[in-house]
Amino acid sequence: MNPLYDELEDALGYSFRDRTLLARAMTRLAAAKEESHDDGWSMDALATLGDATIDVVVLEHLIGGGMESKGELSLTKMNMVNMTVLRQLAESFDLHRYVTWGKGESKQGIWQSGRVLAECMEAVCGAAYLDGGIAAVRTILMHLGFFG
């Protein structure tokens, strides 16, 4: 396990019971292949799950705050949960420092472009969901100041 995971958990405000989920969430597909893991060891599936769980937490927050209109809910969620916002959230605590990158990704500094860090943030939330349910994802988002 990465010795920085204690620090990462502090940054997230959540301690994983199953750190293998966190390790998987922090492993890019290229790195998994370089380390001879199967494709299922990488963050990809967890990012997909994380995307969905973030949506649920945001919708719960909006509805709990009194928002009722389907159109308003959809638009507000879309504005709150997008690649730019998730990337900025990941950058706020230097998430890239904890990710196991493939050699080529590391040389290129791939985390500096586009959606890569956003996907890493989604993977963390997907792993947290499997580890502690929707409450774990809510805890992380609240701790990181996602809701302001």
Side-chain angles (χ1 to χ4, degrees):
M1 282 299 152
N2 188 323
L4 293 176
Y5 286 168
D6 288 338
E7 187 181 310
L8 175 56
E9 287 177 333
D10 287 345
L12 295 171
Y14 179 77
S15 295
F16 281 78
R17 292 180 293 231
D18 181 358
R19 276 209 171 161
T20 59
L21 287 168
L22 181 58
R24 186 174 154 209
M26 293 291 90
T27 303
R28 297 276 297 166
L29 180 58
K33 287 184 177 191
E34 289 169 6
E35 295 173 8
S36 299
H37 292 292
D38 63 34
D39 290 356
W41 180 253
S42 74
M43 67 174 51
D44 291 0
L46 294 174
T48 301
L49 178 61
D51 179 46
T53 60
I54 292 167
D55 283 351
V56 169
V57 170
V58 168
L59 287 168
E60 281 181 346
H61 177 79
L62 295 174
I63 292 168
M67 193 175 289
E68 299 287 332
S69 163
K70 180 180 177 182
E72 188 178 10
L73 283 167
S74 295
L75 182 61
T76 304
K77 180 190 69 72
M78 185 176 64
N79 289 332
M80 288 178 73
V81 184
N82 60 57
M83 289 296 161
T84 301
V85 170
L86 293 177
R87 178 183 177 180
Q88 290 170 344
L89 194 64
E91 289 172 340
S92 74
F93 64 99
D94 296 323
L95 180 59
H96 73 277
R97 293 180 46 234
Y98 309 101
V99 176
T100 303
W101 303 99
K103 291 176 184 136
E105 293 175 326
S106 201
K107 280 183 184 175
Q108 294 173 12
I110 193 169
W111 56 88
Q112 298 173 23
S113 68
R115 62 187 300 132
V116 175
L117 272 183
E119 289 172 350
C120 293
M121 190 68 230
E122 290 171 340
V124 167
C125 289
Y129 175 77
L130 291 178
D131 190 68
I134 205 75
V137 179
R138 187 180 308 107
T139 295
I140 289 170
L141 293 178
M142 296 293 279
H143 181 78
L144 293 175
F146 183 82
F147 297 106

